[in-house]
Amino acid sequence: MQITVIGTGYVGLVVGACLAETGNDVACVDVDPAKIEGLQHNILPIYEPGLEDLVARNQKEQRLTFGTDIPTAIRRAEVIFIAVGTPPDEDGSADLRHVLDVAAQIGAHMGRETVIVTKSTVPVGTASKVAAVVGQRAKYPFHMCSNPEFLKEGAAVDDFLKPDRVVLGVESDHARSVMTELYAPFVRTGKPIIFMDIPSAEMTKYAANAMLATRISFMNEIANLCERVGANVDLVRKGIGSDSRIGPSFLFPGPGYGGSCFPKDVKALVRTAQECQVPLGVLEAVERANDRQKGRLYEMLCGALGSDVRGKHIAIWGLAFKPNTDDMREAPALALIDQLLENGATVATHDPAAIEEAKRRLGSSVTYCETNYDALDGADALVVVTDWNAYRHPDFERIKNALRKPIVIDGRNLYDPAKLRALGITYRSIGRERV
Ligand SMILES: NC(=O)c1ccc[n+]([C@@H]2O[C@H](COP(=O)([O-])OP(=O)(O)OC[C@H]3O[C@@H](n4cnc5c(N)ncnc54)[C@H](O)[C@@H]3O)[C@@H](O)[C@H]2O)c1
């Protein structure tokens, strides 16, 4: 099939590469010429396991191309995926500027009957807005489809190739049959394609992210309470996660959720609810709890230091908002670094993948270290923010000897409190010991 993907970021690039992998002829286009030029040379703008191989192979076999000529890419396509960003507007609602820009271009340049797929996360009603804009200029019939994307950064290729489910909001038999054919290779193990009306598909994406964010904030608050009452959140998590009605995923406490999706999607859904005058109090509380949680590592650090951080030098392990990605959008590490710098500390950082991204965001305000142990030199304390595998079994003696004071703040509950205490390390984690 002739596919065009407009917007070649985390989502568009994964979608394009995976659809090429199943034999489609895919054109990925973007307004960012530097990104496209890099991709033409198999230089990826993002770190995502498995993606580079997929891009290189499919580009070599000429099923995947990258370009900035959006009109030509539109003209040829049987299916167009809109995968541009939908950042939060000032009032929290999703900013649809890029989506509607693309819609206008599709209307102007369509060269055949086309299925237009909104892959970006967009509020209910967006597909209708896109259809209205396309329809003003379209010379050919077109069919809208809402196909929310559920991939997880860090496991995006696998998630796309082997999805739990595919959600498709369609209004025509043509869209239904084209999309069924396109997704057939990815659901051969019997995972469902769930067809629905377009508004329900649009809402499904927000409801899924809102539910996941709710679980995280819920567990973070339970963890904070555990510290006060002398309970251990790890045991509580196992105790509740083994209940089949609850399940074990997304129950790990931490320094607050970040990334490109949960914060903005929760905000956008709250905003939609306010516009509709439907109370969404649970979700408003989820957001407030997350904002508070992003201050917890700093509080824990000050508690362990027994003072504020002025003049202190702090080592941070982990900058990406989660492991296996270089994405730092809304990363908890950014909130911590802001607080540290604002209060007069200096910061040395390490991350296995996000250093380039961190340099772009933080410039020379912090130092960047080659290895995680380098970051400890002369530091007054270590804070572990991201649960990269490489941080799971460090040499604690080495940590203790390198730090000026043996203080470890563990934002991901990676280590055994008793073991670190036995080594003489002052150790704080989330929700596991009475504070
Ligand atoms: N990142 C994720 O994990 C994820 C998961 C599911 C859904 N989503 C949703 O997918 C959408 C894209 O997210 P992302 O993380 O890939 O964003 P991104 O910022 O990484 O990529 C967006 C790309 O769109 C390009 N772009 C912007 N305007 C354009 C235009 N007019 N024409 C062509 N290209 C244009 C940008 O240059 C950029 O390369 C968002 O709505 C997001 O909420 C993201």
Side-chain angles (χ1 to χ4, degrees):
M1 239 183 261
Q2 303 273 318
I3 312 288
T4 287
V5 181
I6 307 182
T8 311
Y10 281 84
V11 168
L13 188 54
V14 171
V15 170
C18 291
L19 290 176
E21 181 72 1
T22 50
N24 296 292
D25 176 1
V26 181
C28 284
V29 285
D30 202 286
V31 285
D32 182 342
K35 192 178 268 190
I36 291 297
E37 198 190 332
L39 282 163
Q40 287 168 339
H41 295 93
N42 297 320
I43 299 165
L44 269 57
I46 55 170
Y47 172 82
E48 187 59 51
L51 189 55
E52 203 172 325
D53 282 353
L54 216 56
V55 166
R57 185 171 57 250
N58 284 284
Q59 203 165 202
K60 182 164 170 256
E61 293 171 11
Q62 297 178 2
R63 288 188 297 265
L64 180 62
T65 60
F66 295 101
T68 51
D69 181 355
I70 298 176
T72 303
I74 289 172
R75 220 166 281 130
R76 65 190 275 286
E78 292 168 78
V79 182
I80 298 175
F81 283 86
I82 304 177
V84 296
T86 47
D89 219 336
E90 271 159 28
D91 62 1
S93 62
D95 180 352
L96 296 179
R97 204 166 1 146
H98 303 307
V99 171
L100 296 177
D101 272 1
V102 169
Q105 296 212 55
I106 295 174
H109 301 293
M110 243 163 81
R112 61 198 293 184
E113 183 170 14
T114 311
V115 178
I116 301 170
V117 185
T118 46
K119 194 54 147 165
S120 303
T121 301
V122 288
V124 176
T126 302
S128 302
K129 288 185 185 159
V130 169
V133 173
V134 174
Q136 283 168 9
R137 297 176 72 181
K139 297 193 189 73
Y140 297 88
F142 65 92
H143 308 260
M144 290 307 303
C145 171
S146 163
N147 172 214
E149 181 51 59
F150 299 101
L151 63 77
K152 301 182 286 297
E153 286 178 19
V157 171
D158 244 26
D159 285 347
F160 194 90
L161 295 175
K162 290 178 249 163
D164 288 340
R165 81 310 204 179
V166 175
V167 169
L168 292 170
V170 291
E171 285 169 345
S172 76
D173 290 342
H174 178 80
R176 188 185 175 108
S177 80
V178 168
M179 297 306 286
T180 304
E181 194 185 328
L182 197 58
Y183 273 108
F186 307 109
V187 293
R188 290 175 64 236
T189 52
K191 297 291 185 185
I193 295 182
I194 305 170
F195 283 100
M196 55 183 75
D197 59 274
I198 288 179
S200 302
E202 291 173 328
M203 182 56 104
T204 297
K205 174 66 191 176
Y206 282 101
N209 277 357
M211 170 67 92
L212 295 172
T214 300
R215 284 174 75 102
I216 294 173
S217 274
F218 174 79
M219 276 317 278
N220 284 339
E221 291 203 319
I222 292 290
N224 297 342
L225 185 57
C226 283
E227 287 173 16
R228 291 304 165 91
V229 298
N232 178 336
V233 75
D234 273 356
L235 303 175
V236 174
R237 173 177 59 74
K238 286 181 190 144
I240 63 172
S242 52
D243 183 326
S244 61
R245 293 168 303 177
I246 297 173
S249 305
F250 273 81
L251 295 180
F252 289 83
Y257 58 76
S260 67
C261 293
F262 291 176
K264 93 173 162 55
D265 294 350
V266 166
K267 266 196 182 53
L269 192 55
V270 165
R271 185 73 203 137
T272 300
Q274 284 166 350
E275 277 165 19
C276 298
Q277 295 178 337
V278 173
L280 223 52
V282 170
L283 217 50
E284 288 175 19
V286 163
E287 203 182 0
R288 281 197 302 276
N290 197 57
D291 288 344
R292 281 195 298 273
Q293 197 68 12
K294 284 194 168 170
R296 278 237 59 209
L297 293 180
Y298 181 75
E299 281 167 22
M300 287 159 70
L301 180 62
C302 291
L305 286 166
S307 67
D308 66 17
V309 298
R310 185 157 303 280
K312 299 282 193 291
H313 183 57
I314 308 300
I316 292 184
W317 285 4
L319 296 168
F321 85 94
K322 66 173 180 178
N324 299 319
T325 180
D326 60 352
D327 199 340
M328 287 184 65
R329 288 178 278 190
E330 307 270 345
L334 287 174
L336 174 62
I337 288 169
D338 267 359
Q339 284 171 302
L340 290 171
L341 297 180
E342 228 168 71
N343 289 288
T346 53
V347 178
T349 62
H350 175 264
D351 190 282
I355 291 295
E356 285 313 310
E357 178 61 13
K359 284 181 180 165
R360 213 176 54 74
R361 289 170 176 271
L362 298 167
S364 56
S365 61
V366 302
T367 48
Y368 305 98
C369 301
E370 192 83 6
T371 75
N372 51 334
Y373 293 107
D374 290 346
L376 304 176
D377 280 343
D380 291 282
L382 163 65
V383 188
V384 182
V385 186
T386 313
D387 44 343
W388 283 95
N389 267 339
Y391 302 153
R392 283 181 189 274
H393 292 288
D395 180 341
F396 291 113
E397 283 294 346
R398 196 168 162 191
I399 293 177
K400 189 179 158 187
N401 292 334
L403 289 173
R404 293 221 296 233
K405 291 184 191 125
I407 295 174
V408 174
I409 309 295
D410 177 359
R412 300 289 178 174
N413 290 0
L414 300 183
Y415 310 134
D416 175 1
K419 182 174 167 183
L420 270 74
R421 221 178 8 249
L423 286 167
I425 293 175
T426 303
Y427 177 68
R428 301 271 187 277
S429 57
I430 296 185
R432 299 198 296 177
E433 287 184 296
R434 190 187 281 275
V435 173

